[in-house]
Amino acid sequence: MASLAAAVLLTAGGTWVLYGSSWLRVEKVTTSGTRVLTPAQVLTAAAVPVGAPLIDIDTDEIAARLRKRLPRVDSVDVVRAWPHGIGLKVTERKPVLLIKKGTDFVEVDVSGVRFDTVAKAPAGVPVLELQAERSPSARRFDEERLLREAVSIAGDLPEAVAKETLQVKVRSYDAVVLELSKGRTVVWGSGELGEAKGRALTALLKAAPKADHFDVSVPTAPAVSGS
């Protein structure tokens, strides 16, 4: 009986420490991983209940609330930092393509998610020029399908090439052209074999730095022209 009573008292004491005492309660919430968002924005959106028992915090609910309130958040790890903290480790979406909307730009990530509208185009992210109404394959590939194709192509661009790409021009499924800096153009073709095309273009840019026209629509037989 004595041992049973001791176990009950120990359990009750542990429960009180976790839920009833002031020892293990949320006193501090920290953030990490933000690039465009500010820590203050993340803290406000997370709305972690300071003062609540740490054991009572629903980490999944906080993560879901953050993603809903801040679409720029791709994922977030919410962790308990005993004895008094909650940590929010944020991963933001990165734009691979921009869609012009009036004077603003809609940011689109590699999954095709349109997650924010900004007044100034981020450096190194190409702008989409979509001419779906002129596409000879418009009945089969509508504007949304062509947008996904453009996003896929932008996501396949090597980082160094992406930084120099000003526009992704899509006329049809297999007629995509990249406009690079310094007046250079690249015939990309369709979104198929994107990685191979990226490697071929990288090699051509190094081999012919003064050229102004590149064709990697068939990556096994790339071409270059212009002085």
Side-chain angles (χ1 to χ4, degrees):
M1 289 294 292
S3 59
L4 178 59
V8 170
L9 288 173
L10 184 61
T11 301
T15 301
W16 179 82
V17 167
L18 289 174
Y19 291 96
S21 79
S22 59
W23 296 349
L24 302 177
R25 292 179 177 269
V26 179
E27 294 181 2
K28 185 178 183 181
V29 184
T30 60
T31 69
S32 62
T34 54
R35 296 167 58 88
V36 177
L37 294 169
T38 65
Q41 287 175 306
V42 173
L43 291 174
T44 299
V48 178
V50 174
L54 198 58
I55 192 66
D56 235 10
I57 296 299
D58 188 332
T59 56
D60 291 338
E61 181 181 339
I62 292 172
R65 185 160 59 236
L66 262 173
R67 291 194 299 270
K68 181 179 179 180
R69 294 179 177 179
L70 297 175
R72 185 177 290 276
V73 173
D74 186 21
S75 64
V76 56
D77 289 329
V78 182
V79 296
R80 295 181 180 86
W82 300 93
H84 300 298
I86 289 289
L88 308 172
K89 185 177 181 181
V90 171
T91 301
E92 295 183 8
R93 299 182 188 276
K94 296 179 181 179
V96 297
L97 199 64
L98 303 172
I99 300 174
K100 198 81 165 63
K101 184 179 181 181
T103 58
D104 296 331
F105 300 88
V106 177
E107 295 181 300
V108 186
D109 74 358
V110 71
S111 299
V113 176
R114 306 178 203 192
F115 60 90
D116 202 3
T117 300
V118 295
K120 183 179 179 181
V125 184
V127 177
L128 172 66
E129 182 180 303
L130 185 59
Q131 299 175 328
E133 70 279 359
R134 302 180 187 179
S135 171
S137 56
R139 291 185 178 180
R140 184 178 178 188
F141 302 105
D142 59 13
E143 184 171 312
E144 191 62 30
R145 178 64 180 82
L146 293 179
L147 170 61
R148 292 199 300 270
E149 192 73 7
V151 168
S152 174
I153 290 170
D156 282 336
L157 294 177
E159 185 176 354
V161 174
K163 289 180 178 179
E164 295 194 51
T165 304
L166 306 178
Q167 284 188 320
V168 177
K169 294 184 175 182
V170 182
R171 183 171 179 271
S172 69
Y173 174 82
D174 56 358
V176 178
V177 174
L178 310 181
E179 293 289 341
L180 307 187
S181 59
K182 302 177 183 178
R184 296 168 295 172
T185 61
V186 180
V187 176
W188 190 269
S190 72
E192 298 175 3
L193 303 175
E195 291 186 7
K197 291 177 181 181
R199 291 193 297 269
L201 179 57
T202 299
L204 289 180
L205 290 171
K206 291 180 179 179
K210 295 183 178 180
D212 55 23
H213 184 77
F214 306 85
D215 189 333
V216 293
S217 56
V218 181
T220 54
V224 61
S225 62
S227 57

